[in-house]
Amino acid sequence: MAHPIAATRLLLAVSALSLATLACGGGGGGYGHMSTPTSPTPSPSALVVEIRDFEFVPKSITVNAGDTVTWRLTGSPAIGHSVTSTGGGFDSGKSFNTAGATFTHTFTSADVGKTFQYYCVTHQACCLMQGSVRVGDTAPPPPPGY
Ligand SMILES: [Cu+2]
């Protein structure tokens, strides 16, 4: 059986060595705390959906809270298209009567997780002129046709 005092000395020696190793081990340049970067809030984007003939292009888009979507009439003929949300929220009326006409809507944090389906009141029946806007990645995919 080892002598108790010798064992203690050995422990102390090992401890001292460990401390020395730790003290030198950082090798660092003295940088203390690394500040944790906060994830930046995405700045609002402006997105464009073209109204091209009897279609919304792209048909479905995904936006973030704060983003503004502009629908712009780029096709022809210019015959009273609308951007009308099925469940409320936005409605341009039949305001797309001249080339370049626009309608904008800004989606808010209250919209996150929702999928807005919309259509053209003039051309939904004939041409399935429909589209959708998903707000945030958690918003469900639109139903077929939107
Ligand atoms: Cu239309």
Side-chain angles (χ1 to χ4, degrees), residues 56-146:
F56 297 107
V57 183
K59 192 176 185 72
S60 181
I61 59 170
T62 301
V63 306
N64 293 309
D67 287 353
T68 296
V69 178
T70 297
W71 285 266
R72 177 177 291 126
L73 181 59
T74 60
S76 60
I79 41 178
H81 297 295
S82 82
V83 173
T84 305
S85 173
T86 60
F90 53 90
D91 184 3
S92 69
K94 297 181 185 179
S95 59
F96 293 93
N97 291 304
T98 54
T102 61
F103 170 73
T104 63
H105 182 75
T106 300
F107 294 86
T108 70
S109 55
D111 298 324
V112 171
K114 296 180 186 173
T115 298
F116 291 85
Q117 299 157 43
Y118 65 87
Y119 61 99
C120 169
V121 295
T122 312
H123 303 109
Q124 184 184 35
C126 71
C127 316
L128 285 179
M129 190 172 175
Q130 303 169 150
S132 61
V133 179
R134 298 173 63 213
V135 186
D137 293 331
T138 58
Y146 288 90

Side-chain angles (χ1 to χ4, degrees), residues 3-80:
H3 194 279
I5 292 178
T8 303
R9 279 198 179 141
L10 185 62
L11 259 180
L12 284 173
V14 170
S15 296
L17 194 65
S18 299
L19 284 174
T21 304
L22 279 177
C24 300
Y31 301 106
H33 299 281
M34 298 290 287
S35 60
T36 307
T38 52
S39 58
T41 303
S43 47
S45 299
L47 301 120
V48 174
V49 175
E50 292 186 2
I51 299 176
R52 208 182 284 166
D53 299 328
F54 301 99
E55 282 184 288
F56 297 107
V57 183
K59 192 176 185 72
S60 181
I61 59 170
T62 301
V63 306
N64 293 309
D67 287 353
T68 296
V69 178
T70 297
W71 285 266
R72 177 177 291 126
L73 181 59
T74 60
S76 60
I79 41 178

